[in-house]
Amino acid sequence: MMQMNNLTNKRILLGVTGGIAAYKSAELVRRLREQGAEVRVVMTRGACEFITPLTMQALSGREVHTELLDHVAESGQGGGMGHIELARWCDVVLVAPASANFIARLSHGMADDLLSTLCLATTAPVVIAPAMNQQMWMNIATQENIATLGQREIRIAGPAEGEQACGEIGPGRMLEPEQLILETSQLFSTGILADLKIVVTAGPTREAIDPVRYITNHSSGQMGYAVARAAAEAGADVTLVSGPVSIEPPRQVRHISVDTADQMRDAVMSDIITSDIFVAAAAVADYRCADVAEQKIKKKSEDLQLLLQKNPDILAEVASLPQGPFTVGFAAETENLLDNARIKLQNKKLDMIAANQVGEGLGFNTDENELQVFWQAGEQGQNNQTGKNQTRENQTIKHQTLERAPKEKLARHLIKVIANHYYEKYSAQTH
Ligand code: C5P
């Protein structure tokens, strides 16, 4: 089957309810994983009558979740995930098959088992793939429930028409795994940045001390890479300028590899004039050695002094361009997060800044993060005839928290926020 790419690293929570089509869910898990997705399976009691959790565990490579009141998982012990963790973890909930009974319970907002509770607790999109006898599907009760779910932006995938397990012919067959994969992957292709060009920096920089040593930091590049991937999925033309990291670049982006802050600056500046958005997620070294030793420095004296000099501030330079792009900075802070972020937003004259606390399992080199986003809001359109470098006296700083989530999910959230503010600014300037 063709690799569709945009399920790479996506976290799919597959809900399986009681119906004969549950046997196809086993194939679905295998195919989703072939596409690069991570899959966790939640089964209802009914589902366990048709297919065993063991099958799903073997195929997903993960423990299968069946109980709402799992004391071990809810306590966070033994590596288990409680219902809130699962709801937060997933990028999408796909319920396949979705029985008539499950659809009825979902439409009424029931939370009497793990799967229905998760559907209420998640902010991720929910897709359901109905599968049932054709009369049950056509029954007015089911149709009304489906209409209710549609109004709540729950996506209904299928059902297909054809021969049914009960021998009847009509609508009610679950869509085939390939079709469900296609519908799921389309969720990530939002098109909200279509026709826009975006440059993203990521990773640390490496500043040489001598031919074998360098100054660097703990940045893994994960956040910047996730932003680049999310931007590409949103339809943007993406250039990712990256310092040395050990992760693979997303396939859909132009990838430029650099070592030093100077090289990063040159790569960014050569591409920036034609760009619409700049996201600086790199942890650029603030200083480099004033003189890089030509030979390896020998250990002779008790003390060694290195004279450092300031690196170019790439973000500030881009933000000061007269016709520059919409600029988004990052601020990784160990203290006074909110104040420091506000100050950086103003001093560097940015359009937006995303701040995160580093340390204690957050920030650098971790899978999860939480972002505090600040942006300039106000009478920009009326006051700012010469571009964004004029004073922003009549502007206020607004703030939004992007709740703790895996970085890939957080990056998609951030791209939505960036797109909203980019269009807001653009429309303010054209009116
Ligand atoms: O001032 P500070 O380094 O904390 O600002 C962080 C933000 O500035 C990040 O977005 C980072 O990518 C960017 N930056 C930069 N060039 C530098 C230093 C920081 O682009 N030399």
Side-chain angles (χ1 to χ4, degrees), residues 200-204 219 221-225 240-245 264 279-283:
V200 180
T201 65
S219 169
Q222 280 182 68
M223 194 65 214
Y225 276 51
L240 172 62
V241 183
S242 171
V245 295
M264 186 173 274
V279 182

Side-chain angles (χ1 to χ4, degrees), residues 235-250:
D237 169 348
V238 186
T239 301
L240 172 62
V241 183
S242 171
V245 295
S246 56
I247 50 176
E248 286 288 312

Side-chain angles (χ1 to χ4, degrees), residues 38-351:
E38 231 183 289
V39 184
R40 282 184 181 270
V41 180
V42 172
M43 297 174 74
T44 62
R45 288 239 167 90
C48 298
E49 300 287 334
F50 288 91
I51 181 169
T52 69
L54 191 60
T55 304
M56 296 308 235
Q57 180 182 312
L59 291 168
S60 66
R62 301 275 194 175
E63 173 204 358
V64 169
H65 308 266
T66 54
E67 299 304 320
L68 176 58
L69 300 174
D70 177 340
H71 295 288
V72 178
E74 292 295 328
S75 70
Q77 288 163 2
M81 275 179 134
H83 66 283
I84 297 299
E85 275 99 355
L86 283 168
R88 202 185 273 155
W89 172 85
C90 59
D91 294 318
V92 55
V93 177
L94 170 61
V95 183
S99 64
N101 178 49
F102 180 76
I103 289 168
R105 286 169 45 237
L106 190 62
S107 74
H108 284 86
M110 305 281 281
D112 56 354
D113 69 0
L114 180 59
L115 185 57
S116 54
T117 306
L118 271 169
C119 289
L120 287 187
T122 192
T123 55
V126 177
V127 182
I128 63 167
M132 67 198 73
N133 164 274
Q134 52 130 1
Q135 288 300 342
M136 290 171 77
W137 170 251
M138 288 187 299
N139 190 295
I140 188 85
T142 305
Q143 288 303 311
E144 282 181 8
N145 291 334
I146 287 287
T148 304
L149 294 178
Q151 280 161 14
R152 292 188 204 141
E153 295 191 6
I154 288 182
R155 289 144 179 98
I156 320 293
E161 288 207 27
E163 200 173 323
Q164 302 206 292
C166 53
E168 294 179 19
I169 295 177
R173 285 169 59 94
M174 186 172 93
L175 290 188
E176 293 302 323
E178 277 188 28
Q179 189 63 31
L180 287 175
I181 288 174
L182 190 66
E183 300 227 0
T184 309
S185 65
Q186 279 167 354
L187 281 179
F188 296 98
S189 308
T190 59
I192 52 174
L193 292 183
D195 301 325
L196 296 182
K197 207 177 147 197
I198 171 165
V199 176
V200 180
T201 65
T205 64
R206 240 179 220 179
E207 313 295 333
I209 298 172
D210 66 19
V212 295
R213 304 183 179 96
Y214 51 78
I215 301 171
T216 191
N217 58 63
H218 289 299
S219 169
S220 64
Q222 280 182 68
M223 194 65 214
Y225 276 51
V227 168
R229 189 194 304 278
E233 285 170 5
D237 169 348
V238 186
T239 301
L240 172 62
V241 183
S242 171
V245 295
S246 56
I247 50 176
E248 286 288 312
R251 289 209 203 145
Q252 316 90 316
V253 311
R254 193 173 317 105
H255 181 245
I256 303 175
S257 236
V258 296
D259 270 335
T260 67
D262 261 338
Q263 291 167 353
M264 186 173 274
R265 180 209 164 269
D266 291 349
V268 167
M269 292 324 260
S270 70
D271 223 22
I272 209 69
I273 288 304
T274 55
S275 298
D276 304 290
I277 298 173
F278 176 58
V279 182
V284 185
D286 289 329
Y287 292 92
R288 65 172 179 272
C289 286
D291 292 302
V292 179
E294 277 181 21
Q295 303 299 333
K296 186 177 168 192
I297 299 171
K298 295 286 172 212
K299 101 176 131 234
K300 285 187 206 136
S301 54
E302 280 305 306
D303 303 319
L304 174 68
Q305 289 200 353
L306 294 173
L307 181 64
L308 303 179
Q309 76 183 50
K310 230 181 187 168
N311 267 329
D313 190 318
I314 306 166
L315 177 59
E317 195 173 332
V318 171
S320 69
L321 292 171
Q323 302 293 323
F326 185 90
T327 50
V328 184
F330 269 78
E333 303 288 343
T334 54
E335 56 181 359
N336 300 332
L337 180 71
L338 304 186
D339 286 344
N340 282 331
R342 276 194 208 98
I343 291 167
K344 264 177 217 174
L345 179 74
Q346 286 180 310
N347 287 354
K348 298 199 191 192
K349 300 191 168 65
L350 308 178
D351 292 298

